[in-house]
C-alpha cells in the first residue's frame, strides 16, 4: 500500500487532550516481550486493536487507568479508560512527522525510568501505527461525501441500522430527519455548479453548527441530506429540525440564492425496519414540500 497519504494524517500541531479506563483492562496475563509486541502489532491494521495491544504492553511497565491516542483523523481511547491522578504525554514522531499524541493515566507516578521504558515501546509501534492510520484514513474517505465532508449514503445506511439495533437492544429510541433544499435546482441552472457547490457547503456548515455529533450528518448526493438522532435527542427532534431550517436560511449563500430547506421527521417504532423508517420520513418530507417549502413535518 502506498504511504503517500501520510501527509494527510500528520499532526503538525497537536492540541492537548484528555483521555478516558478500569484497572482490569490493563492486567495482562503475562509480560510482553519486544519481539512479541512487534509481532502482535503487525498482525492487524485495525487502529483500535493496535491501541489495545499497545496499552496492555504498557500496563506491564506501570499499572494504568487509561491510554488515549489523539490523531488528525480522530481520537481513540483504549477500552475501559478513565482519568487518574498522574498523567504522562508523549508525541509519536516518525521521520520528522507527528503521527499522534499518547496520553497515559495512572494512580502511580511516571518516573524517568518508567517514561524511558514507555518510549521504547512507542518506538516499536511507530511503523505499524503509521500503516493503521493510512488504512483508517482510506476507510473514512470511502464513507464521506467528498464535497461537504458529511457521511455518504453508504455510511447513512450503516449508521441507521446500528442506531436501530441499539434502540432495539436498549429499549430506547432513534429518529431520522430527511432534508431537501428548496429552489436549489435553479441555482445550478442559472449560476452554474460552482455556485451550487457553495450552497451545499454552506448547508453542511449550518448542520455542523446546529448538531453536536458530526457522525450523524449525511449527504446522499444532489441536495438531499439526512440526520440520525440517538435516544437523547429524539424527544427534541422537531425543535432540532426547526433550528436546522433557520440555520440554513441564515447562511449567506442560501440567502443570496433564496435557498431554504424542507424537513421530514420519522421516529422509529418497535420492530420497524430501516427501509420503513426511511419511507416514513420521506413521506413527511413530501408533506413539508406540499405545505409551501421551508417547513417541518412529522410522519
Amino acid at each position: 500500500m502506498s504511504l503517500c497519504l501520510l501527509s494527510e494524517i500528520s499532526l503538525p500541531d497537536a492540541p492537548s487532550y484528555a483521555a478516558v479506563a478500569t484497572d482490569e483492562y490493563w492486567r495482562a496475563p503475562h509480560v510482553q516481550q519486544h519481539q512479541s509486541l512487534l509481532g502482535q502489532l503487525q498482525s492487524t491494521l485495525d487502529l483500535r486493536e493496535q491501541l489495545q495491544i499497545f496499552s496492555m504492553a504498557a500496563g506491564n511497565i506501570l499499572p494504568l487507568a487509561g491510554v488515549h491516542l489523539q490523531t488528525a483523523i480522530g481520537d481513540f481511547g483504549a477500552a475501559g479508560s478513565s482519568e487518574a491522578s498522574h498523567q504522562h504525554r508523549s508525541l509519536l514522531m516518525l521521520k520528522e512527522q507527528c503521527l499522534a499524541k499518547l496520553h497515559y493515566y495512572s494512580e502511580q507516578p511516571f518516573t524517568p525510568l518508567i517514561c524511558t521504558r514507555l518510549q521504547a515501546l512507542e518506538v516499536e509501534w511507530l511503523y505499524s501505527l503509521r500503516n493503521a492510520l493510512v488504512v483508517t484514513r482510506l476507510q473514512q474517505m470511502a464513507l464521506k461525501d467528498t464535497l461537504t465532508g458529511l457521511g455518504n449514503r453508504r455510511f447513512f445506511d450503516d449508521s441507521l441500522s446500528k442506531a436501530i439495533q441499539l434502540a432495539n437492544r436498549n429499549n430506547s429510541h432513534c429518529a431520522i430527519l430527511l432534508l431537501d433544499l428548496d429552489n436549489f435546482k435553479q441555482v445550478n441552472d442559472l449560476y452554474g455548479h460552482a455556485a451550487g457547490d457553495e450552497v451545499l457547503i454552506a448547508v453542511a456548515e449550518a448542520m455542523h453548527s446546529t448538531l453536536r455529533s458530526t457522525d450523524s450528518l449525511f449527504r446522499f448526493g444532489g441536495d438531499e441530506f439526512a440526520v440520525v438522532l440517538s435516544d437523547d435527542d429524539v424527544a427534541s427532534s422537531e425543535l432540532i429540525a426547526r433550528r436546522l431550517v433557520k440555520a440554513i436560511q441564515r447562511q449567506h449563500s442560501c440567502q443570496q440564492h433564496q435557498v431554504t430547506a424542507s424537513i421530514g421527521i420519522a421516529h422509529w417504532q418497535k420492530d420497524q425496519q430501516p427501509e420503513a423508517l426511511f419511507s416514513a420520513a420521506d413521506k413527511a418530507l413530501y408533506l413539508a414540500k406540499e405545505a409551501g417549502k421551508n417547513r417541518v413535518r412529522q410522519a
Side-chain angles (χ1 to χ4, degrees):
M1 175 179 294
S2 172
L3 299 179
C4 62
L5 293 175
L6 186 57
S7 60
E8 298 181 24
I9 61 172
S10 62
L11 195 61
D13 188 20
S16 62
Y17 58 89
V20 196
T22 318
D23 286 347
E24 62 189 77
Y25 288 93
W26 314 98
R27 294 175 188 151
H30 59 276
V31 176
Q32 304 280 357
Q33 300 298 321
H34 266 354
Q35 204 73 15
S36 174
L37 172 62
L38 185 59
Q40 288 185 66
L41 291 169
Q42 291 177 340
S43 70
T44 177
L45 287 171
D46 185 284
L47 189 55
R48 295 183 186 277
E49 289 182 7
Q50 286 193 9
L51 176 58
Q52 200 63 25
I53 291 169
F54 177 84
S55 65
M56 293 294 288
N60 287 320
I61 294 175
L62 181 73
L64 296 172
V67 177
H68 188 266
L69 183 74
Q70 181 192 28
T71 77
I73 60 174
D75 295 350
F76 306 87
S81 291
S82 64
E83 296 184 3
S85 55
H86 296 278
Q87 303 176 24
H88 172 64
R89 297 181 184 182
S90 184
L91 205 58
L92 303 186
M93 302 289 297
L94 180 63
K95 297 181 179 179
E96 299 184 353
Q97 286 189 301
C98 179
L99 299 183
K101 253 190 176 182
L102 263 179
H103 200 154
Y104 303 90
Y105 292 86
S106 178
E107 294 300 336
Q108 298 184 23
F110 291 86
T111 65
L113 177 59
I114 291 295
C115 293
T116 299
R117 294 179 65 187
L118 289 174
Q119 186 178 27
L121 285 186
E122 293 165 5
V123 171
E124 294 288 316
W125 191 16
L126 291 178
Y127 285 95
S128 296
L129 173 61
R130 178 187 62 178
N131 294 339
L133 286 170
V134 171
V135 169
T136 303
R137 175 59 175 161
L138 290 173
Q139 291 172 339
Q140 289 181 347
M141 290 171 62
L143 298 174
K144 296 291 185 179
D145 170 57
T146 54
L147 178 65
T148 63
L150 303 182
N152 58 22
R153 180 58 188 263
R154 175 184 169 190
F155 193 13
F156 169 78
D157 290 340
D158 183 56
S159 298
L160 180 58
S161 294
K162 289 180 179 178
I164 289 176
Q165 290 172 11
L166 187 63
N168 199 30
R169 185 184 313 125
N170 298 336
N171 195 27
S172 57
H173 306 279
C174 69
I176 59 172
L177 278 56
L178 292 186
L179 291 75
D180 188 83
L181 301 185
D182 309 316
N183 309 318
F184 178 74
K185 185 177 182 299
Q186 69 184 28
V187 179
N188 282 335
D189 292 344
L190 296 177
Y191 302 100
H193 288 282
D197 288 350
E198 185 178 338
V199 169
L200 294 172
I201 292 171
V203 170
E205 290 174 352
M207 295 175 70
H208 275 299
S209 65
T210 304
L211 290 116
R212 294 192 299 266
S213 175
T214 57
D215 285 343
S216 65
L217 310 179
F218 309 90
R219 178 190 173 218
F220 296 161
D223 59 344
E224 296 178 302
F225 297 80
V227 180
V228 175
L229 297 179
S230 60
D231 191 50
D232 293 339
D233 293 323
V234 168
S236 306
S237 58
E238 186 167 354
L239 175 62
I240 292 171
R242 296 192 183 282
R243 285 172 54 203
L244 269 175
V245 166
K246 291 181 180 179
I248 291 170
Q249 197 172 17
R250 286 196 298 264
Q251 289 290 322
H252 174 72
S253 296
C254 296
Q255 289 181 346
Q256 183 181 5
H257 298 292
Q258 298 181 322
V259 171
T260 56
S262 296
I263 300 180
I265 306 171
H267 290 219
W268 177 73
Q269 307 297 321
K270 187 69 174 177
D271 297 325
Q272 188 178 34
Q273 295 300 309
E275 296 80 5
L277 179 60
F278 183 89
S279 178
D282 196 41
K283 290 177 181 176
L285 175 59
Y286 177 80
L287 293 176
K289 289 281 193 181
E290 287 291 297
K293 301 179 181 180
N294 199 29
R295 298 286 192 273
V296 175
R297 291 292 184 268
Q298 291 203 48

